[in-house]
């Protein structure tokens, strides 16, 4: 098992906000990620919520801006916050330096196209390598849920729907719900997977949800003042898919909220308590 290098450790609400580095065999590079361990982790293994961030983010955006640790400490849920792409000088980036592809924009897929396939295996990193590592090295139980924002909301939904036996629940803020039909998704899926659109469907939450009834609870929040709502996010596709498969999806449209971390901070407590219903024993 790869050793973790602790980079930082701050006390927070009786727990510890930490940052780690490790060598990833899946991504073929050195990675960093953040973890919040609640105070209960000092006495026992605790369940974890994995948070997947959006375009241009690192593992530090959520831990600094969302304000999730107070409620996580109360509930006794750890927060595991990975980076959004492989990193390092050897890792290829968008040749034009665009923000929506390459570094900071791994889209949580397993790339098959050169030169990205040798590093951009973010699906396997999130679903397999990282959980195995942190559950072996930190006081975390095998009970886990997953959430995310925008590109990370897309990743959380796709991973949970494809790996439903590994998660207790899934939620998302303003997810890219139908990437095969939006510019962000079409660019990323072409670059990472090639032009065969049948392969793209494996990474589209709306397609996956329409094909099979979800076996885990789903909560999605979307602001109606989000500038990316109509062109990029398409929550209506997710709603239609859930209805066609008979899946239970709670989609909440929040009046006046945009795509920012102010939106996430406003509703993160709701999401943590939602996941707590499935991660924690109920009295």
């Amino acid at each position: 098992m790869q050793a973790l290098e602790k980079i930082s450790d701050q006390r927070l609400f009786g727990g510890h906000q930490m940052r780690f580095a490790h060598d990833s065999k899946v991504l073929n590079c050195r990675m960093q990620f953040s973890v919040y361990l609640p105070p209960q982790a000092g006495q026992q293994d605790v369940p974890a919520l994995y948070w997947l961030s959006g375009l241009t983010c690192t593992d530090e955006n959520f831990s600094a801006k969302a304000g999730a640790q107070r409620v996580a400490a109360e509930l006794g849920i750890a927060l595991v916050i990975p980076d959004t792409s492989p990193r390092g000088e050897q890792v290829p980036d968008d040749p034009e330096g665009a923000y929506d592809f390459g570094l900071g924009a791994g889209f949580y897929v397993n790339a098959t196209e050169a030169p990205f396939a040798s590093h951009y295996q973010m699906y396997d990193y999130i679903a397999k390598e990282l959980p195995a590592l942190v559950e072996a090295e930190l006081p975390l139980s095998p009970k886990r849920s997953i959430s995310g924002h925008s590109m990370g909301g897309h990743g959380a939904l796709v991973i949970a729907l494809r790996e439903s036996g590994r998660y207790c629940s899934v939620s998302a803020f303003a997810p890219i719900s139908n990437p095969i039909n939006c510019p962000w998704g079409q660019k990323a899926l072409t670059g990472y997977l090639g032009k065969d659109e049948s392969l793209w469907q494996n990474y589209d939450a709306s397609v996956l949800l329409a094909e099979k009834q979800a076996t885990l609870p789903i909560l999605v929040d979307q602001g109606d003042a989000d500038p990316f709502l109509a062109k990029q996010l398409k929550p209506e596709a997710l709603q239609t898919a859930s209805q066609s498969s008979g899946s239970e999806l709670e989609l909440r449209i929040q009046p006046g909220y945009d795509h920012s971390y102010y939106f996430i901070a406003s509703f993160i407590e709701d999401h943590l308590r939602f996941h707590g219903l499935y991660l924690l024993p109920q009295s």
Side-chain angles (χ1 to χ4, degrees):
M1 183 61 65
Q2 309 121 314
L4 290 179
E5 175 194 356
K6 186 186 291 186
I7 298 173
S8 63
D9 185 345
Q10 281 87 37
R11 291 283 283 170
L12 181 61
F13 294 114
H16 292 265
Q17 181 66 51
M18 298 178 288
R19 202 170 189 224
F20 295 96
H22 74 108
D23 293 321
S24 169
K25 293 181 180 179
V26 169
L27 301 179
N28 193 26
C29 64
R30 193 152 180 84
M31 293 294 289
Q32 295 183 353
F33 65 93
S34 295
V35 175
Y36 177 69
L37 287 180
Q40 295 86 341
Q43 291 78 45
Q44 62 189 28
D45 289 352
V46 296
L49 176 65
Y50 288 73
W51 173 269
L52 308 186
S53 294
L55 291 167
T56 75
C57 291
T58 70
D59 59 294
E60 294 187 293
N61 293 76
F62 179 78
S63 60
K65 295 180 178 181
Q69 295 92 339
R70 177 184 60 82
V71 179
E74 175 195 330
L75 296 174
I77 296 174
L79 306 173
V80 180
I81 312 160
D83 204 346
T84 53
S85 77
R87 300 283 180 173
E89 292 183 1
Q90 78 278 25
V91 176
D93 194 5
D94 185 289
E96 298 179 356
Y99 75 94
D100 56 358
F101 186 76
L103 297 180
F107 263 82
Y108 306 103
V109 305
N110 285 339
T112 56
E113 292 292 296
F116 302 100
S118 60
H119 294 285
Y120 285 78
Q121 303 293 310
M122 287 297 293
Y123 181 97
D124 281 351
Y125 178 69
I126 299 299
K128 299 173 184 178
E129 185 182 36
L130 186 61
L133 174 61
V134 295
E135 287 169 18
E137 299 287 333
L138 299 174
L140 301 181
S141 78
K143 295 194 71 174
R144 62 186 85 87
S145 292
I146 191 166
S147 185
H149 172 231
S150 194
M151 177 186 73
H154 140 77
L157 290 168
V158 166
I159 291 171
L161 291 170
R162 290 178 55 177
E163 310 278 346
S164 57
R166 295 177 58 83
Y167 298 95
C168 298
S169 52
V170 59
S171 72
F173 291 81
I176 302 173
S177 298
N178 191 203
I180 66 173
N181 288 316
C182 78
W184 279 343
Q186 291 166 346
K187 177 178 179 178
L189 296 173
T190 300
Y192 293 133
L193 304 177
K195 297 181 179 181
D196 183 354
E197 295 185 14
S198 66
L199 301 177
W200 300 3
Q201 297 185 19
N202 294 320
Y203 297 102
D204 187 301
S206 294
V207 171
L208 295 171
L209 193 58
E211 290 177 346
K212 185 178 180 181
Q213 187 176 45
T215 59
L216 75 175
I218 306 171
L219 171 64
V220 174
D221 271 320
Q222 173 64 60
D224 71 0
D226 191 319
F228 305 112
L229 177 57
K231 187 175 181 179
Q232 302 284 11
L233 305 178
K234 301 183 181 297
E236 67 279 0
L238 200 64
Q239 183 75 73
T240 299
S242 71
Q243 292 169 349
S244 66
S245 64
S247 299
E248 293 188 13
L249 163 70
E250 184 178 3
L251 173 61
R252 309 191 307 186
I253 304 301
Q254 303 292 358
Y257 285 89
D258 60 15
H259 201 71
S260 71
Y261 263 85
Y262 296 116
F263 167 50
I264 297 171
S266 298
F267 299 102
I268 191 63
E269 179 171 352
D270 288 359
H271 284 241
L272 286 166
R273 296 194 185 281
F274 164 77
H275 291 295
L277 294 174
Y278 307 100
L279 288 171
L280 302 168
Q282 301 300 309
S283 58

